[in-house]
Amino acid sequence: MAKIIPFKAVRPAPDKVALVTCRMYDDYTPTELAAWLNFNPYSFLHVINPAYTFTHAQKITPEKRFKGVTHKYNDFKKENILIQEDKPIFYLYEIQTKNNTFTGIIAGTSIEDYQNNVIKKHEDTLQYRVELFKDYLHQTGFNTEPVLITYPDSTEINTFITLHKRNKPIYEFSTTTKEKHTLWKIDTQTEINLLVEHFESIPNLYIADGHHRSASAEMLYEQDKSTGNPNLNYFMSFLIAESNVKIYEFNRVVRDLNGHSKDDFIKLVADNFVIKDKKRELWQPKHKYEFGMYLDGRFYALEYKHKEKIKGVLENLDAQILYDTILHPILGLEDLRNDERIDYIPGKQAILHMKEMIDEGEFEVGFMLYPSDINEIKLLADNNLIMPPKSTYIEPKFRSGLLVYEL
């Protein structure tokens, strides 16, 4: 039984929402970031990146940075750039991109559910990142990046969403990335109660994106629960039907062949794969157990030979197969999170991007994967198993500054 609650969000003034909201901070190049901060005084980037106002060469401690975030956030509230709801409510949020439409519910989800595995995980976390974001939450007192959580498709929730979209939204705006964003309030007690009941009938929720944010929320709860602050018992989530998420792969690029010649490397790969030389064709995998490889100006199709021998859930994952057969035994990669010899490219990016990185000499070989599906993710989570790092790139991505959950 999944528990969700409404909350008193802080959000942009309606006339400024398109100016305030921004992509996640890491999505901006330094040049883009500087341009947006110089051009747009309303951007939420000014809140999450207060260090920009300091001398660029100056080293800033996390504590000083977090204080700067808090100060700028309070300035935005004082200037009525950000306003607060007068009562706890839910929201319905829709993102329309060129190729997809994503629609879901924004609510508070339960730390207790997270601890009791009602909310299930499939990715590992890095302790230092969890602790750093926990300190950020503790010192700033707010979060604007919800955890993306999926739920099994529900006729009742789908009907609720369809009917509610007939109402007038509080926001409807477009962005420079050619996305359309629409937000509706769910604020009548009847609707709130109905939505709570619908989710109470769902046995499990699954984290799609935001494992570090949810782990940080739990750590903050354990640290500060003695204060009696009820907001610590929940974290903001964007709940979306599992059929509505879009899962991309992460492709891999490696800087060297671990001392192997090209010919020897290909012979070693051939122990586990049927190799087809695609020459200069921009080739990508078409199905599971198939991999692409780009090496020395040529593309290769790799078909895994031993799929009928696979027994375990984790061993069936394409990212794990690549690690077990090539990355670890041949290329000598062990720590996929921290080894500087490997990097990752979201499958959403054109394959030409990977080709250029290798052609320019920064990397020597690249591997393309077929994307996982939601059933693989759920099966891993149900068996308390963890995906290899950078196995999935999942959409939708939330706009920073659209809604703020205060602690």
Side-chain angles (χ1 to χ4, degrees):
M1 183 177 77
K3 183 177 182 180
I4 64 169
I5 63 161
F7 64 100
K8 290 177 65 173
V10 173
R11 56 184 177 85
D15 64 318
K16 298 179 179 66
V17 61
L19 295 170
V20 172
T21 62
C22 59
R23 306 196 309 271
M24 296 181 72
Y25 171 76
D26 291 343
D27 285 350
Y28 293 88
T29 66
T31 301
E32 282 182 303
L33 183 62
W36 277 106
L37 290 167
N38 281 325
F39 170 73
N40 181 6
Y42 296 113
S43 174
F44 202 77
L45 289 168
H46 288 285
V47 174
I48 57 181
N49 190 53
Y52 182 81
T53 61
F54 302 148
T55 304
H56 293 297
Q58 183 180 353
K59 288 271 187 176
I60 302 167
T61 64
E63 184 178 2
K64 187 172 183 180
R65 175 181 171 81
F66 299 157
K67 286 182 179 178
V69 170
T70 304
H71 179 76
K72 196 66 179 178
Y73 176 68
N74 289 331
D75 283 348
F76 268 43
K77 291 176 70 177
K78 289 174 184 176
E79 295 169 12
N80 291 320
I81 299 170
L82 297 174
I83 57 177
Q84 186 161 31
E85 298 289 357
D86 56 6
K87 66 176 184 178
I89 64 173
F90 293 126
Y91 297 90
L92 176 63
Y93 180 39
E94 183 173 88
I95 305 168
Q96 294 182 25
T97 68
K98 181 180 179 181
N99 299 314
N100 298 290
T101 298
F102 306 102
T103 311
I105 306 294
I106 303 168
T109 46
S110 167
I111 293 289
E112 183 179 5
D113 283 354
Y114 178 86
Q115 293 175 327
N116 293 335
N117 214 30
V118 173
I119 299 175
K120 297 197 172 190
K121 312 93 181 166
H122 70 267
E123 283 187 5
D124 205 355
T125 55
L126 294 173
Q127 188 67 15
Y128 82 92
R129 283 187 59 190
V130 173
E131 291 181 359
L132 182 64
F133 194 63
K134 180 267 295 180
D135 292 340
Y136 170 90
L137 295 174
H138 176 75
Q139 294 194 46
T140 64
F142 73 87
N143 179 32
T144 186
E145 295 179 4
V147 176
L148 182 64
I149 290 182
T150 68
Y151 58 85
D153 282 66
S154 161
T155 301
E156 291 80 10
I157 296 176
N158 288 343
T159 300
F160 179 96
I161 289 173
T162 299
L163 292 174
H164 198 82
K165 284 170 66 175
R166 297 175 183 175
N167 298 332
K168 184 177 179 180
I170 56 171
Y171 297 146
E172 191 172 18
F173 65 97
S174 297
T175 68
T176 55
T177 54
K178 297 184 178 180
E179 294 178 348
K180 181 182 177 184
H181 298 259
T182 311
L183 189 76
W184 294 263
K185 284 185 176 184
I186 302 173
D187 57 357
T188 70
Q189 197 58 51
T190 299
E191 289 177 312
I192 289 171
N193 292 343
L194 186 60
L195 208 50
V196 168
E197 289 175 9
H198 286 330
F199 276 92
E200 283 180 344
S201 68
I202 295 174
N204 290 108
L205 304 175
Y206 294 81
I207 296 177
D209 189 25
H211 287 79
H212 284 88
R213 295 191 290 277
S214 53
S216 297
E218 181 198 20
M219 184 177 286
L220 181 67
Y221 166 79
E222 293 294 345
Q223 174 184 292
D224 294 348
K225 61 184 177 183
S226 61
T227 63
N229 179 359
N231 290 348
L232 294 174
N233 298 333
Y234 301 88
F235 55 90
M236 181 169 64
S237 293
F238 183 25
L239 298 136
I240 186 167
E242 59 186 36
S243 65
N244 197 205
V245 296
K246 177 65 177 176
I247 304 174
Y248 297 91
E249 73 282 7
F250 264 106
N251 296 320
R252 280 95 162 104
V253 285
V254 183
R255 296 187 188 278
D256 58 71
L257 296 183
N258 195 30
H260 300 292
S261 68
K262 173 188 169 182
D263 289 341
D264 287 344
F265 174 72
I266 289 177
K267 287 179 182 177
L268 291 168
V269 171
D271 288 342
N272 289 297
F273 296 90
V274 175
I275 303 177
K276 296 179 182 178
D277 187 348
K278 296 294 184 178
K279 300 181 180 179
R280 297 190 179 276
E281 177 188 348
L282 292 174
W283 189 87
Q284 292 180 266
K286 306 297 191 297
H287 55 76
K288 186 171 172 57
Y289 306 122
E290 192 173 51
F291 302 80
M293 182 172 74
Y294 182 68
L295 174 65
D296 195 26
R298 302 173 83 96
F299 284 90
Y300 299 86
L302 311 180
E303 182 75 27
Y304 188 50
K305 292 179 179 179
H306 311 301
K307 49 183 174 286
E308 70 282 352
K309 296 180 181 179
I310 296 173
K311 296 180 179 179
V313 175
L314 182 60
E315 290 75 13
N316 190 56
L317 195 68
D318 280 3
Q320 189 67 37
I321 292 171
L322 184 66
Y323 177 77
D324 290 339
T325 57
I326 299 178
L327 298 183
H328 183 218
I330 302 176
L331 294 177
L333 294 161
E334 295 187 11
D335 185 353
L336 295 183
R337 289 187 178 276
N338 300 308
D339 197 317
E340 294 183 354
R341 293 175 55 224
I342 188 169
D343 206 350
Y344 303 89
I345 306 170
K348 188 179 179 181
Q349 294 186 17
I351 201 67
L352 277 171
H353 178 63
M354 186 187 77
K355 180 180 182 297
E356 289 170 1
M357 294 173 72
I358 295 170
D359 289 345
E360 290 170 0
E362 185 180 357
F363 297 88
E364 193 160 354
V365 63
F367 300 96
M368 294 82 79
L369 285 77
Y370 188 74
S372 297
D373 63 30
I374 191 66
N375 292 320
E376 282 188 310
I377 292 174
K378 290 175 64 177
L379 188 58
L380 283 161
D382 288 341
N383 284 275
N384 298 313
L385 295 171
I386 300 299
M387 277 186 160
K390 299 292 186 180
S391 291
T392 56
Y393 178 89
I394 299 180
E395 289 188 336
K397 300 296 183 186
F398 203 83
R399 299 277 295 177
S400 288
L402 179 65
L403 290 172
V404 180
Y405 182 87
E406 290 193 336
L407 299 166

